[in-house]
Amino acid sequence: LPELPEVETVRRGLEEATRGRAVLAVPWLDHRMVRGPIGADAIRAGMAGQTVDRVERHGKFLVWRFRTGAGLLLHLGMSGRLTAGVQPWAAWPPHTHLVVAMSDGQEVRLRDPRRFGRIGWVQPGDHPWPNLGPDALARNFSARCFQETLGGRQAPIKSLLLDQGVVAGIGNIYADEALFRARIHPLTAGGRLTTADVRRLHRAIRQVLRAAIEHRGTTFRSFEDAAGREGGFLPWLRVYGRTGQACQRCGGAIQSRMIGGRTTHYCERCQPAPSAEASSR
DNA sequence: GTCTTTACCTGTATGC
DNA sequence: TGCATACAGGTAAAGA
């Protein structure tokens, strides 16, 4: 489940593998993955001969940026795996939707069985993520601006953390982990959080995301980095996927329930439910 | 404008 | 053993 740490891990791998290299050709691009006004054939033609400048990330979106300023927008969806390297096998694995041949003999491949990912073309100067809030690890995502965004919002903080227009990069795993670390109940209305709550949550978000990046992300089902390695953060999860297990802090049982259509994991003792008094204030 | 629900998609797990 | 069903969730769009 690629969230910010997993996408950042892929970003670093793709940049390291391809920076300064040229695209020889795009042997395969599945048109079903392509979004936006530029079609698959135009993207394939546009990429040929381009030299890679860098790989940018905002939230869970990547732009494989070329020296002309144009770029390839990539989103890994839920099951997307982007790998780069000299691939020993001749046949592409199942569910391969993008194959890019580089001039140094490497191949960049995108596999995505569920096809929730997407591919698009970014023109020079284009702002490819107009609807996203600040990146969760960016300098401009401050506790103060976070509190302003949450002000007056009635939705559960869990749902707001998943809203990429509020803050970009957090998915179901790290939303639950950050709320646990900040000791905030996931049903608490965003606008009811105190200044101290928001500061704790802001710090918890950044700490858990940075720690996960250090471990190259979490492999829960299928994530792998650009070199095909699994992430190492799974043992560090405190609540996600631990329903019924003992809370590492208080020993109580980890609960799970649906909030905003998403399974949410939390500790009822460490994350006390918002009180009636607080809710009526 | 805000919030909730649904569709998209298929591998994996579960139940009969 | 084999089949049917439920479940997982990032994003966007529709509905309330």
Side-chain angles (χ1 to χ4, degrees):
Chain A
L1 313 166
E3 304 180 29
L4 189 151
E6 292 73 34
V7 178
E8 173 63 18
T9 301
V10 168
R11 187 201 70 76
R12 293 177 181 183
L14 181 64
E15 183 167 278
E16 189 185 341
T18 65
R19 185 171 214 163
R21 272 79 154 189
V23 172
L24 201 62
V26 182
W28 170 235
L29 171 54
D30 187 339
H31 68 90
R32 292 176 301 180
M33 302 292 289
V34 174
R35 303 297 145 84
I38 312 295
D41 290 341
I43 291 175
R44 294 172 69 180
M47 284 182 70
Q50 297 265 7
T51 300
V52 176
D53 182 29
R54 61 188 185 275
V55 184
E56 302 163 3
R57 180 191 60 74
H58 188 109
K60 304 168 196 170
F61 285 86
L62 291 174
V63 172
W64 201 12
R65 187 75 73 172
F66 306 110
R67 286 187 182 161
T68 56
L72 191 72
L73 183 72
L74 295 163
H75 193 289
L76 299 179
M78 290 197 44
S79 56
R81 308 183 197 199
L82 189 72
T83 55
V86 179
Q87 317 276 0
W89 51 87
W92 302 326
H95 311 297
T96 298
H97 305 303
L98 170 69
V99 179
V100 181
M102 308 300 293
S103 55
D104 63 356
Q106 293 190 99
E107 267 188 9
V108 174
R109 295 175 176 175
L110 176 70
R111 293 159 57 197
D112 183 6
R114 269 175 261 189
R115 283 197 275 120
F116 275 24
R118 56 205 56 200
I119 296 171
W121 187 248
V122 180
Q123 306 281 11
D126 267 8
H127 190 55
W129 25 66
N131 302 320
L132 297 183
D135 181 85
L137 285 184
R139 198 173 284 252
N140 66 347
F141 176 58
S142 64
R144 174 180 283 195
C145 91
F146 191 28
Q147 185 160 24
E148 282 172 11
T149 305
L150 296 178
R153 302 291 295 263
Q154 299 298 306
I157 184 60
K158 167 63 187 274
S159 301
L160 295 170
L161 288 177
L162 295 180
D163 182 344
Q164 303 298 296
V166 170
V167 53
I170 301 171
N172 207 35
I173 294 177
Y174 298 108
D176 287 359
E177 293 297 316
L179 287 168
F180 174 80
R181 283 160 171 79
R183 305 192 185 213
I184 293 170
H185 195 283
L187 278 177
T188 312
R192 304 270 184 210
L193 294 177
T194 66
T195 300
D197 288 337
V198 175
R199 283 191 184 145
R200 267 200 333 280
L201 181 56
H202 178 262
R203 194 180 316 126
I205 288 168
R206 290 164 77 102
Q207 281 177 348
V208 72
L209 293 178
R210 288 201 178 104
I213 289 172
E214 281 182 25
H215 289 86
R216 302 188 335 277
T218 302
T219 297
F220 198 74
R221 288 190 178 79
S222 64
F223 170 72
E224 64 187 31
D225 70 11
R229 295 172 300 192
E230 295 195 333
F233 198 64
L234 187 64
W236 300 91
L237 299 181
R238 305 275 184 82
V239 287
Y240 184 86
R242 305 185 79 97
T243 308
Q245 296 181 27
C247 169
Q248 292 174 15
R249 187 187 285 146
C250 76
I254 301 298
Q255 318 277 315
S256 67
R257 63 183 290 174
M258 295 294 274
I259 297 177
R262 295 290 174 249
T263 305
T264 300
H265 312 75
Y266 62 102
C267 171
E268 213 144 44
R269 272 199 253 168
C270 295
Q271 299 163 262
S275 68
E277 187 221 348
S279 311
S280 63
R281 231 185 287 149

